[in-house]
Amino acid sequence: MLGFGSLAKMVFGTPNDRKVKATRPIVAQINALEPQFQAMSDADLIGKTRELQGRAQSGESLDKLLPEAFANCREGAKRALGLRAFDVQLMAGIFLHQGNIAEMKTGEGKTLMATFPAYLNALAGKGVHVVTVNDYLAKRDAGWMSKVFGQLGMTTGVVYPFQADDEKREAYRADVTYATNNELGFDYLRDNMKGSIDQMAQRGHFYAIVDEVDSILIDEARTPLIISGPSQDRSELYRVLDKYIPELTPEHYKLDEKSRNATFTEEGNEYIERRLSETGILPEGQTLYDPESTTIVHHINQALRAHTLFQRDQHYIVRDDEVVLIDEFTGRMMAGRRLSDGLHQAIEAKEGVQIQPENVTLASVTFQNYFRLYDKIGGMTGTAATEAEEFAEIYKLGVVEVPTNRPVQRVDEHDRVYRTATEKYAAVLETIKEAHAKGQPILVGTTSIEKSEMLSQMLDKAGIPHNVLNAREHEREAFIVAEAGKMGAVTIATNMAGRGTDIQLGGNVDMKVMEELAKYPDAEPDEIRAAVEAEVAAAKKQVQEAGGLFVLATERHESRRIDNQLRGRSGRQGDPGRSLFFLSLEDDLMRIFGSERLEKVLSTLGMKEGEAIVHPWVNKSLERAQAKVEGRNFDIRKQLLKFDDVMNDQRKAIFAQRLEIMEAQEVADITADMREQVIADLVDEYLPPKAYAEQWNVAGLKAAVVEKLNMDLPVEEWVAEDGVDQEVIRERIEEATAGYMAQKVEQFGAENMNQIEKQILLQQIDAKWREHLIKLEHLRSVVGFRGYAQRDPLSEYKTESFQLFRSLLDGMRTDVTQQLSRIRPLSEAEREQMMRDYAEQQAEAQRAMQPEHEEAEVVAPAGRVPGFDPEDTTTWGSPSRNDPCPCGSGEKFKHCHGRLA
């Protein structure tokens, strides 16, 4: 019997059905225009672009221009690439233009589809950014789709790391710019450290199309992009501290795999303190709880995390005497990416490789806040529906499932659950042998390099030829994926998100043509293509008869999306296919997050050695466990966003102030306002408004005026006059300093003075902002403990960060005023030397900058500590002696319940 919900869906359709239905009349309009655009010449298509640009820039809405723009783009793509977009691609393009995420199955043509909303929005003349997950895809897509945009009279740019500045500026000036999410974020930060507008690369944030939007805006959302510069060398300290960690036993620390955190217990702290004292690292009489020990405590904690939370060949690999991180979501090496806060150095010490200097943060932003700078964003992926709530709440993005061009033929079988990993891998091997015997291509999904290599060894022993696709095989990636659909192919992959190359049954025509042309450079390309197409078509028929691509996964991922990405590689464009997941009770997901309910289900169904349990109940239980993990991760991201929003508001204020200074023709008004505020603050400090004249500190004010304004004024004489109050003193100081600065303008010349003021303002903003970021990092790392005292960490962070920001502004005003009061005219030679020195400093700063990803800190949701009850001492965990007591008394733990214990 149908429930009310199912009955309502049958009558009214789902919300998704209604969205899809609403685009059909627009698609019909585009199709009706097709004959008219087919009749146009190439020059007419470009002429149409110019006409549409004129209309868009005169105020006509892009929605109104959409049918003509899409019809023009479809015809341009057909001529440039020989590809005619399907109706479902036009539909997805409409959703992207409307600011939604289009969920399209693998092989449905997302790359071509993105040209439609990109072309339409580029008509506004403000630039469109197409965002990809890696540099290979950015360059490949830009090269391929530039043919379409070129056919329509538009320019295409591509941005990549280590690009020359003038080339990068040119790329951002193009109508459509392809770039990775990392490079866009880093360029935004670099731009806001430049000295003048003409050095800036980006020209605003109008519209972005984000490919693999779930990977970028969900998986990487918690990871701040950081530009850093080198600090003092502490490599010896890392090496020394690293030696103590292998001595520890399990009672010395607590490992929380769920939140990926490791902390010392009381016994651990005492043991480490004793060892550090014995070896003289802790000076005699000093304990780990003393303020002087903060640095040592921080680094010993990082050493513990390096040993317990980061595994070689899973989280990183060691290559050429260097620790290279692995992206847990894509399985790729992240060359040049470093963990911050001394964690990367701790891993280098653990592995015995050369320790690179630690860096200090110069600028940072998270992807969450970077992408919220855009007026509008659209996204595309094969898997977004499971995270629809997060997209709606954080980015105001709707998710629409776009129908496939042809019905999906893939068969998704129920998971097989085994008691142990050994039993599971034995069954995996048998299943691969069976499928391989009939020539069916197999894609085997694993969750780490270590497991992919272990499985590879098993296949070697069994004599089954295969390819391995993981971070070590990064360079051969496109080739391996292109081969994966051939008869009898076996491919082991760590992750399939954003691979960019489709697995086509029978083989990839384009890749095969390139191979043949390389072998026979004098051959006729058209003849080779025709021969290859015939060969691949015959091979495809064989593969289809063998059952199509078989996706065999050896584990479930924490996120359902990653599982769906792997599944989606099979059954593209109506091809047959099969997917099957093998699990064991020893898998990480089952061990850490597997519900008791799942164990009950398995014991109810009865589980014998070597046998698998296959039942829809098991799938449901696993999906519930995954949904629980996804929900928990969403809560963490939401909480981190609240903290980052505080810094983001300050960042936007500072960056806007920099931009205003760089754009301003003159900045004398800004420096005059600063000077007046400094004078007002000085008068209030030394001649308090409500104090009697006898209580005034006149000598202090005179000394402060000399120090801050570089003027020796007769303050004592002014105060001795009858009827003189604080306001009169303030006005006289202002008049005197205004005259003094006017003399400097005469000495330097107005234009030179303006440049000097700009330079000093920008230098001070940058210096103060850097100091402020370090203070905020320190505040963020300790504020979570306020939850133990029943205070809301977020409120505390907001209040204290606002106070820090006010002191930043006060300090900046004072320093700018002080510096300007002390400048003197330079000779031509001195001025040229100063400009050279400044340019060299800027260049050195740019060279020293390192883009890195920080592992974001987990902060407990406001007002509570997870799993903590102040009434129940069993939920207190192990607070250290100097932490506030969890009972909420406000006393240190060692003086309260810690003393009782």
Side-chain angles (χ1 to χ4, degrees), residues 8 108 179 181 277 360 395 456 668 702 709 789 816 823 832 873 882:
E108 291 291 304
N181 49 316
S277 297
V360 291
Y395 303 102
S456 173
K702 181 179 173 67
L709 305 170
V816 167
I823 56 168
E832 282 175 12
T873 56
N882 279 17

Side-chain angles (χ1 to χ4, degrees), residues 414-419 423 580-585 590 598-619 622:
H414 293 310
D415 298 357
R416 293 187 190 172
V417 184
Y418 291 83
R419 191 181 295 277
E423 291 170 37
L580 174 58
F581 279 69
F582 285 77
L583 314 171
S584 84
L585 295 180
M590 306 281 272
L598 180 60
E599 287 172 29
K600 282 180 193 163
V601 166
L602 295 175
S603 53
T604 306
L605 295 170
M607 199 172 200
K608 293 174 191 166
E609 196 172 331
E611 267 186 19
I613 292 288
V614 182
H615 202 283
W617 289 356
V618 175
N619 291 34
L622 279 166

Side-chain angles (χ1 to χ4, degrees), residues 170-467:
E170 191 61 32
Y172 278 115
R173 298 292 174 275
D175 294 306
V176 180
T177 306
Y178 285 79
T180 63
N181 49 316
N182 283 345
E183 208 54 24
L184 284 168
F186 286 132
D187 282 341
Y188 166 67
L189 294 175
R190 287 182 197 115
D191 274 357
N192 285 289
M193 298 169 79
K194 294 282 168 65
S196 65
I197 293 279
D198 57 3
Q199 293 176 338
M200 293 174 76
Q202 294 183 349
R203 55 176 175 136
H205 299 87
F206 172 59
Y207 177 56
I209 294 172
V210 186
D211 191 11
E212 301 299 343
V213 65
D214 49 341
S215 174
I216 292 171
L217 297 188
I218 302 282
D219 297 336
E220 295 203 47
R222 283 164 56 186
T223 313
L225 290 171
I226 293 170
I227 287 187
S228 57
S231 67
Q232 67 191 92
D233 184 11
R234 290 206 186 99
S235 47
E236 198 44 48
L237 178 64
Y238 292 115
R239 283 198 190 90
V240 170
L241 294 178
D242 183 73
K243 291 173 187 167
Y244 299 110
I245 306 301
E247 299 175 5
L248 300 175
T249 58
E251 66 263 18
H252 287 138
Y253 60 88
K254 278 197 310 184
L255 187 61
D256 184 349
E257 289 186 81
K258 282 189 185 182
S259 61
R260 282 191 56 72
N261 202 11
T263 50
F264 283 102
T265 59
E266 191 73 15
E267 291 93 334
N269 273 324
E270 285 171 7
Y271 178 79
I272 286 292
E273 186 174 275
R274 189 170 68 251
R275 294 290 287 118
L276 294 176
S277 297
E278 286 168 5
T279 48
I281 292 169
L282 268 184
E284 198 176 334
Q286 188 175 315
T287 73
L288 284 177
Y289 302 106
D290 293 336
E292 299 83 2
S293 307
T294 306
T295 300
I296 294 170
V297 170
H298 171 74
H299 290 307
I300 197 76
N301 281 331
Q302 296 298 54
L304 177 68
R305 293 182 74 201
H307 277 265
T308 55
L309 297 173
F310 289 84
Q311 308 306 324
R312 185 167 176 164
D313 289 345
Q314 182 176 347
H315 302 105
Y316 64 88
I317 61 173
V318 176
R319 196 179 71 163
D320 301 333
D321 198 38
E322 196 181 336
V323 169
V324 182
L325 297 177
I326 293 170
D327 187 327
E328 65 172 301
F329 300 106
T330 65
R332 288 192 182 86
M333 288 187 292
M334 300 190 287
R337 179 94 59 87
R338 293 178 66 79
L339 296 163
S340 67
D341 229 14
L343 187 52
H344 209 99
Q345 286 77 3
I347 297 172
E348 286 169 334
K350 167 189 165 186
E351 293 297 342
V353 300
Q354 186 185 349
I355 296 174
Q356 307 292 332
E358 196 179 335
N359 290 317
V360 291
T361 301
L362 304 179
S364 83
V365 69
T366 59
F367 286 129
Q368 280 172 327
N369 278 318
Y370 174 73
F371 282 104
R372 293 195 305 171
L373 291 171
Y374 285 89
D375 298 342
K376 179 173 76 173
I377 57 175
M380 50 190 186
T381 179
T383 45
T386 55
E387 316 291 347
E389 184 192 348
E390 183 161 355
F391 283 122
E393 191 170 327
I394 290 178
Y395 303 102
K396 308 291 180 278
L397 282 167
V399 176
V400 190
E401 291 180 64
V402 180
T404 53
N405 188 45
R406 293 179 185 152
V408 176
Q409 303 287 331
R410 187 186 65 243
V411 177
D412 296 325
E413 298 181 29
H414 293 310
D415 298 357
R416 293 187 190 172
V417 184
Y418 291 83
R419 191 181 295 277
T420 66
T422 309
E423 291 170 37
K424 175 182 79 172
Y425 281 109
V428 164
L429 189 60
E430 279 309 306
T431 310
I432 292 172
K433 281 180 184 173
E434 283 168 27
H436 184 62
K438 61 178 183 176
Q440 185 174 23
I442 308 160
L443 176 67
V444 186
T446 63
T447 53
S448 71
I449 291 182
E450 188 186 14
K451 286 174 184 165
S452 69
E453 290 179 346
M454 180 194 79
L455 197 56
S456 173
Q457 287 167 4
M458 288 171 68
L459 291 179
D460 282 338
K461 277 185 192 167
I464 297 173
H466 60 279
N467 276 317

Side-chain angles (χ1 to χ4, degrees), residues 191-192 194-197 200 652-671 673-674 754 757-758 761-762 765:
D191 274 357
N192 285 289
K194 294 282 168 65
S196 65
I197 293 279
M200 293 174 76
K652 286 199 283 195
I654 287 288
F655 286 1
Q657 186 69 61
R658 275 187 112 261
L659 200 58
E660 189 184 320
I661 289 165
M662 287 194 290
E663 284 175 340
Q665 294 298 313
E666 289 186 4
V667 291
D669 287 349
I670 296 173
T671 54
D673 287 345
M674 287 182 163
N754 190 45
E757 286 178 319
K758 267 193 180 187
L761 279 167
L762 292 174
I765 286 176

Side-chain angles (χ1 to χ4, degrees), residues 10-82:
M10 282 174 66
V11 177
F12 303 109
T14 64
N16 198 81
D17 295 337
R18 291 195 289 277
K19 287 176 190 166
V20 169
K21 196 175 176 185
T23 63
R24 295 199 189 279
I26 308 172
V27 172
Q29 266 181 285
I30 300 163
N31 288 338
L33 290 169
E34 192 167 16
Q36 178 188 325
F37 282 83
Q38 281 173 335
M40 289 183 178
S41 67
D42 287 357
D44 290 340
L45 294 186
I46 293 173
K48 188 67 181 178
T49 297
R50 299 293 169 255
E51 178 209 318
L52 293 170
Q53 283 172 326
R55 286 159 62 187
Q57 289 165 35
S58 303
E60 196 169 335
S61 80
L62 294 178
D63 290 347
K64 202 169 173 189
L65 299 177
L66 190 149
E68 292 170 79
F70 274 38
N72 203 33
C73 190
R74 179 194 260 178
E75 187 57 33
K78 201 161 97 180
R79 293 184 195 186
L81 303 174

